[in-house]
Amino acid sequence: MPSDALTLCHECDLLQRNPPLPPGGSAQCVRCGCRLHKHRPDSLNRTLALALAGIVLFAIANSFPFLSFQMQGQTTQTTLFTGVQDLTEQGKGEVAAVVFFTSILAPGLQLALLLAVLLPLRLGGRLPPGYPTLFRWFKTLVPWGMMDVFMIGILVSVVKLTDMATIVPGPALFAFVVLIFVLAAAQAALDPDIVWARVPLPPALRRRPDPSQPVLGCDVCELVVPVQQASRDRRGHVRCPRCNDRLHRRKPRSLQRTWALVIAALVLYIPANLYPVMSVTSLGRTQSDTIFSGVVFLLNHDMWPLAAIVFVASIFVPLLKLLILMFLLVSVQTGSRWRPRDRTRLYRITEAIGRWSMVDIYVVTILVALVRLGNLASIQAEAGAVFFCAVVILTMLAAMTFDPRLIWDALERDRERDRGRDRGRETARDTGVRPGVVADAGRIEPTGASA
């Protein structure tokens, strides 16, 4: 069995076989339930077509008017980039950089990298230099593209401005909405296995690995690499022979880094909710709004579904994520054996929900871009937006830094100790030698598959 026919689960570190999958079928880890592989029929053609459509929609969304604000005969017209520019002019460059990266740059780079990766496969022939690196960058950017969250921010902004003025959607908004679905469909249709299967492997990795040899699993291309066959760079770092990503048995200093990010986010969470995120000037009167007052505004206007979304995304989710991460950190450090599969599910929740907290930041961005009529009506971003944006980014980085395989290490040590004790007893029974602990090389488990 070659190394490419094996999978080392990136959440519980169990070595398993890759079973043949029927069309639409998927493979799950037999221990933690993580989905390892999914068969996507006609993946190359579907993804390439969607990526080409996405490029066209992306150009339209960034070239034409996005929204228009009409109040007492005056009109403000915006593009997708206007909010970023206005935030920079108001001295909120940190927030502007995050908004630009997550709503414009990251989605655009995803589409460009998809084309750069898929076109050589479709046209055939030799792969260009740096091909694995391009696909590695694409996978890195996926969590940071937040156009769907930006769309929720648009809905909240329109509701807030309904009583003040008339909002007119532009052609870029319609292209942006379609682009959200096209990019999501492209990501769902993409089968990474067809990409990595075209990248040549060293001859040594095409042979059956020695069962007694320790292996490392690549988090990017999912290649199982025997430690002795892994390449090293000039600094001595172990690299994947296929995608050149750094290989680690566990993420370096995962607990320390995650604790540092969690503590920093907790400290910033307080001013993020106490300080106003924006100030609204209308007919010479100025009112400051915090995140919670924005929820109250939506409730007072009978927009309870949007109020619930903003409350959950901006207040409840960041706090829940921090509490879950602290629970996981403490459970790992105390060597807890309690329900590791459920704790792994909690980790998946922290990865999935963190990005939705950006709703309030996008609301501020849109309102700042739309309402620019001087003393008649204007909106200014405040310090609370900077603190809250930092909380969102820190919690996302904390979830990425935490290594879920640490949850299973205590059970794995117990398993190895029990096996070593059993082997020692067998040795003592056969030879009369006192029992001792014997290191276990592990075994390859069959992967769970479902249609």
Side-chain angles (χ1 to χ4, degrees), residues 45 65 75 81 165 174 201 216 224 238 306 323 357 366 372 390 438:
N45 292 326
T75 301
F81 187 74
F174 296 104
L201 287 174
L216 295 172
V224 176
V238 181
L306 285 178
L323 293 176
S357 299
I366 296 164
R372 294 177 297 153
V438 181

Side-chain angles (χ1 to χ4, degrees), residues 174-188:
F174 296 104
F176 186 83
V177 173
V178 179
L179 177 59
I180 293 172
F181 292 98
V182 168
L183 184 56
Q187 294 172 356

